[in-house]
Amino acid sequence: IGYRFAQRFPERLSHLVLAGVMDSIPDHVRPPMERAMALAAAGRMEEFADLTLQSLLCQDPTRTIARRTSVERAMRHSLVRMSGSDLRRFIWNSQRLLDHPKLDLSRPPTVPTLVFTGEHDPFTPPERCRHVAEHIPGARFTTIDQADHVFHLQRFDQTVALLMQFVQGRLSERSEAA
């Protein structure tokens, strides 16, 4: 949504941040998303939580993920206890992502853009985010260390610092120019 808004109304933005973005949902991601929606709709909350966490969180125990155990526990708790309205919102949002057309990378936004994700994100992996950044002139790409798709929970302070540095024009050399 942010990408398309920036394409259509660049004059209304000073900066664009795309976190965990890809140009389209990969084919291998579709079946787990559809299965998660079906489990949620059927009220099979434990299985729904397991599948959702497997899809969003890095499962490789050799990768260092900040706050891995506490974030997974908190997310599981939230997923298993989702209200009916939250479940409907999850299903609607998941279906919206599945139905969304591929991003039009031929007409990139013309505002200063930051693209990032967690360095170990299995859902929107860095290479897919970098691909989008490479099509936006002057975009910066980076990753949040020791994080996966839920970088904002695992590395909140670092995520906020990155956003502030970008908006204030103080982004470190750690980030790559795409």
Side-chain angles (χ1 to χ4, degrees):
I1 292 171
Y3 182 88
R4 291 203 190 274
F5 186 89
Q7 281 179 307
R8 293 182 64 196
F9 307 106
E11 71 282 358
R12 299 185 76 185
L13 299 173
S14 64
H15 296 78
L16 175 63
V17 174
L18 300 170
V21 67
M22 51 190 161
D23 63 345
S24 63
I25 300 289
D27 289 339
H28 75 277
V29 172
R30 290 178 179 280
M33 284 182 75
E34 290 167 348
R35 177 89 173 121
M37 290 187 306
L39 291 168
R44 296 168 56 187
M45 301 311 292
E46 293 289 337
E47 293 168 272
F48 161 70
D50 289 342
L51 183 55
T52 301
L53 294 174
Q54 286 172 356
S55 298
L56 298 179
L57 305 182
C58 177
Q59 300 300 306
D60 184 346
T62 67
R63 304 286 180 162
T64 300
I65 303 292
R67 303 182 61 212
R68 182 190 296 257
T69 303
S70 60
V71 167
E72 184 171 350
R73 186 174 41 247
M75 286 184 67
R76 171 173 291 291
H77 180 82
S78 295
L79 290 167
V80 168
R81 289 165 180 75
M82 280 180 124
S83 68
S85 62
D86 287 338
L87 282 171
R88 287 187 296 280
R89 193 172 11 264
F90 169 84
I91 293 167
W92 180 87
N93 190 52
S94 297
Q95 191 62 56
R96 180 186 61 80
L97 290 172
L98 288 172
D99 293 343
H100 199 279
K102 188 172 184 169
L103 289 183
D104 178 3
L105 298 177
S106 70
R107 294 183 320 104
T110 58
V111 298
T113 302
L114 171 65
V115 180
F116 74 98
T117 192
E119 71 173 328
H120 303 300
D121 185 343
F123 189 73
T124 55
E127 60 273 11
R128 298 217 35 140
C129 295
R130 183 181 287 114
H131 173 75
V132 172
E134 288 170 347
H135 286 82
I136 303 172
R140 300 299 298 245
F141 170 79
T142 194
T143 58
I144 302 289
D145 296 334
Q146 299 181 4
D148 53 33
H149 193 66
V150 293
F151 49 80
H152 57 289
L153 300 176
Q154 296 154 336
R155 305 280 288 186
F156 179 79
D157 291 344
Q158 292 80 357
T159 302
V160 171
L162 174 65
L163 297 174
M164 294 301 296
Q165 289 167 7
F166 174 64
V167 171
Q168 295 171 352
R170 303 183 294 111
L171 201 55
S172 74
E173 291 304 312
R174 178 182 163 280
S175 65
E176 307 170 25

